[in-house]
Amino acid sequence: MTLTQPVRVRFAPSPTGRLHLGGARTALYDYLMARQSGGQFILRIEDTDRNRYQVGSEQEIMDGLRWLGLQWDEGPDIGGPYGPYRQSERKEIYRQYAWELVEKGHAYPCFCTPERLSAVRQQQQARREPTRYDGHCRNIPLSEAKARVAAGEPHVIRFKMPRTGSVTGIDLLRGDITYQNDQLDDYILVKSDGLALYHLAAMVDDHLMKITHVLRGAEWLPTFPLHVHIYNAFGWQQPVWIHLSVFLKPSGKGKMSKREAASLAQDGYSIFTTDLADLGYLPEGVNNWVALMGWSYDDATEFFTMQDLIEKFDINRLNPSPAAINFSKLDHFNGLHIRNLPLDDLQRRLRPFFERTAYHPSDEILRKLTPLLQPRMKTLDEGPALVGFLFAEQVEPDLERLVPRKMTPPEALTAARRLLEVLSDLPSMDPQVTEGPVRALAEELGLKAGSLFNILREALIGQPSSPPIFETMDVIGREVVLQRLQAAIDLLTAAVFVYRRERRER
Ligand code: GLU
């Protein structure tokens, strides 16, 4: 069932690196839900962890989202009614809400020094107990705690986790998940530098920004009970929680890791969005591929445009089991989307991939090449590689292939000479003009058309396969066609000389 009520969803990356497939998938699902329901897709930058902050990351993430076509309706760059959308600009809001929890008895300032905390941890480890805060500051009277804070004593703010009972979170994909409170910690909500951690900041923001559905990675399941507790402590209504499955390595063994990402590069793959653009993938192909890593429509349909996805995406068909990243599927989807593009669009997208090679075809030539490449490419960067021979200064035909099977060098030479004559007489290399006379020549020579084409192909491009030969000639142009044919004739002439000598000496 698709969504009928407008939803408000957010993609909330931390600017600690580049946009990768996991983030792209969350953002895509968010976007689809918003578009499908007539709701809003919000971009929120969660930059409270200043140690992991990376300059340029925010921009890189936005560029990646835009490349994928996932334009947000509210965000740090465009504003919106619930801003600011960068957490570092919301510090004061979190401070107020943290103290609201303290006043209500759900949180408390903790003055323990790092030294004390590490001693406690060591003792717990020695006793083989789970390491967690021992509650030392839990029961300091509020007035005393406030006085110490006012006096400037360093402190964090911790959640006062109930010691008994349990808490149940409802995940759309996994149903009810119940956690025992005595297994949970008095988690830190605000650090000693006054900056709120994700646990508080994201909950406050999701509430204030009126987020209806929270999509995030399954790595948040262990702290999910804390988040439910925080909502309850404030007395807020919970959003619909959706924890998306993790991605596994292509081998299916283990979670995707940084090291694995580096080794992918060796095979010409990447999990980073902007790399995928550079490797010649289309956003259409990537979105199609990513959409199906955790969701399926009917287990059979595999080709989806963005419009299809907006219409058909269904949060009730999300799959909680981990998905292995399969790059050959990406190649497959990308090929489908390349073939689905209008020619002028494909031509425009191919241009930069030619510009970064030595080949700089004119618009005219690229227009002729595009339909030849379209059925053959899986990625755009294959374009120049597939037709590079067209632009080579010189080709080096292979003598063995220049003399097709069941033909002798003298026969091949005659055929090549006649080809040169016939083609020189033609007014242009337009396939409409060349195809008839070349086929007629094959008949005249008593050759199969294929054999004659093979001689021509080898003479013109020096390799056994290429786009259709007549279109190829048109792209190479008359002058080069005649010149390469002449070079092949010279090569065959020398071959015939050797061939005759050998026969005479027998
Ligand atoms: N900033 C968090 C992250 O990057 C966001 C998690 C969420 O979407 O709630 O993991």
Side-chain angles (χ1 to χ4, degrees), residues 10 12-14 26 44 46 198 202 206 214-217 219-220:
R10 87 294 190 281
S14 303
T26 306
R44 184 172 76 220
E46 302 204 325
Y198 171 82
D206 286 344
V214 170
L215 272 79
R216 56 181 189 177
E219 65 270 21
W220 293 106

Side-chain angles (χ1 to χ4, degrees), residues 109 111 137-148:
F111 305 94
C137 297
R138 235 173 115 102
N139 296 315
I140 298 174
L142 184 54
S143 54
E144 184 193 327
K146 277 185 173 172
R148 288 170 71 176

Side-chain angles (χ1 to χ4, degrees), residues 401-407 410-423 434-460 469-470 473 485 488-489 492:
R401 287 197 301 255
L402 213 42
V403 182
R405 266 189 302 137
K406 296 198 190 137
M407 283 176 78
E411 286 171 314
L413 177 59
T414 307
R417 283 198 183 123
R418 290 286 294 128
L419 269 171
L420 181 61
E421 279 167 23
V422 168
L423 292 174
T434 51
E435 182 161 357
V438 171
R439 285 186 184 278
L441 175 62
E443 197 140 324
E444 175 200 314
L445 295 171
L447 291 175
K448 282 199 183 132
S451 299
L452 194 58
F453 295 172
N454 283 346
I455 298 177
L456 197 50
R457 179 176 294 113
E458 193 56 33
L460 298 184
I469 189 67
F470 295 106
M473 288 203 286
L485 209 42
I489 289 169
L492 281 168

Side-chain angles (χ1 to χ4, degrees), residues 51-100:
N51 293 328
R52 293 179 59 220
Y53 183 82
Q54 259 189 32
V55 180
S57 167
E58 181 179 322
Q59 190 58 46
E60 213 268 354
I61 292 170
M62 290 200 204
D63 290 346
L65 292 173
R66 283 205 194 88
W67 180 75
L68 288 168
L70 308 178
Q71 181 56 53
W72 48 99
D73 305 305
E74 298 167 27
D77 55 333
I78 50 174
Y82 301 92
Y85 293 90
R86 221 178 258 115
Q87 287 188 331
S88 57
E89 295 162 26
R90 300 170 65 81
K91 213 172 142 175
E92 182 51 26
I93 300 175
Y94 308 134
R95 203 192 61 78
Q96 278 174 25
Y97 280 93
W99 278 95
E100 183 180 327

Side-chain angles (χ1 to χ4, degrees), residues 34-302:
R35 289 296 157 274
Q36 174 175 90
S37 69
Q40 288 86 38
F41 171 44
I42 292 125
L43 176 64
R44 184 172 76 220
I45 300 294
E46 302 204 325
D47 57 349
T48 56
D49 187 346
R50 300 317 276 184
N51 293 328
R52 293 179 59 220
Y53 183 82
Q54 259 189 32
V55 180
S57 167
E58 181 179 322
Q59 190 58 46
E60 213 268 354
I61 292 170
M62 290 200 204
D63 290 346
L65 292 173
R66 283 205 194 88
W67 180 75
L68 288 168
L70 308 178
Q71 181 56 53
W72 48 99
D73 305 305
E74 298 167 27
D77 55 333
I78 50 174
Y82 301 92
Y85 293 90
R86 221 178 258 115
Q87 287 188 331
S88 57
E89 295 162 26
R90 300 170 65 81
K91 213 172 142 175
E92 182 51 26
I93 300 175
Y94 308 134
R95 203 192 61 78
Q96 278 174 25
Y97 280 93
W99 278 95
E100 183 180 327
L101 286 183
V102 174
E103 295 286 347
K104 288 180 168 167
H106 294 295
Y108 59 94
C110 164
F111 305 94
C112 292
T113 60
E115 293 73 29
R116 176 172 190 279
L117 293 175
S118 108
V120 169
R121 200 177 309 118
Q122 279 168 15
Q123 288 161 13
Q124 289 171 334
Q125 278 163 349
R127 292 195 301 262
R128 300 188 181 280
E129 289 173 7
T131 51
R132 59 171 97 138
Y133 183 58
D134 66 351
H136 186 72
C137 297
R138 235 173 115 102
N139 296 315
I140 298 174
L142 184 54
S143 54
E144 184 193 327
K146 277 185 173 172
R148 288 170 71 176
V149 167
E153 192 172 334
H155 64 282
V156 300
I157 294 182
R158 290 182 182 275
F159 190 76
K160 198 171 197 171
M161 187 61 68
R163 289 276 165 88
T164 56
S166 64
V167 61
T168 298
I170 308 169
D171 174 89
L172 187 77
L173 314 187
R174 295 153 221 265
D176 290 4
I177 313 178
T178 298
Y179 302 78
Q180 297 305 316
N181 290 332
D182 63 3
Q183 303 297 311
L184 303 170
D185 206 349
D186 282 4
Y187 298 93
I188 297 177
L189 303 180
V190 180
K191 290 184 296 172
S192 56
D193 60 6
L195 283 173
L197 285 178
Y198 171 82
H199 305 308
L200 180 71
M203 302 312 119
V204 167
D205 287 348
D206 286 344
H207 171 71
L208 294 179
M209 294 180 182
K210 298 195 163 50
I211 300 302
T212 58
H213 295 66
V214 170
L215 272 79
R216 56 181 189 177
E219 65 270 21
W220 293 106
L221 282 171
T223 44
F224 181 31
L226 168 65
H227 305 147
V228 176
H229 270 301
I230 292 176
Y231 265 85
N232 291 341
F234 281 118
W236 296 336
Q237 198 197 333
Q238 311 259 340
V240 176
W241 298 98
I242 301 176
H243 294 92
L244 296 171
S245 61
V246 294
F247 284 151
L248 301 179
K249 295 176 193 175
S251 64
K253 296 188 190 106
K255 276 202 280 180
M256 200 60 216
S257 64
K258 277 218 171 109
R259 170 144 13 117
E260 182 69 15
S263 88
L264 283 174
Q266 292 169 358
D267 295 332
Y269 291 120
S270 174
I271 57 161
F272 299 108
T273 319
T274 43
D275 285 350
L276 292 175
D278 202 51
L279 289 167
Y281 292 100
L282 306 182
E284 290 90 336
V286 175
N287 281 327
N288 193 155
W289 178 57
V290 160
L292 295 175
M293 288 199 269
W295 169 76
S296 67
Y297 175 57
D298 55 6
D299 299 319
T301 315
E302 56 165 18

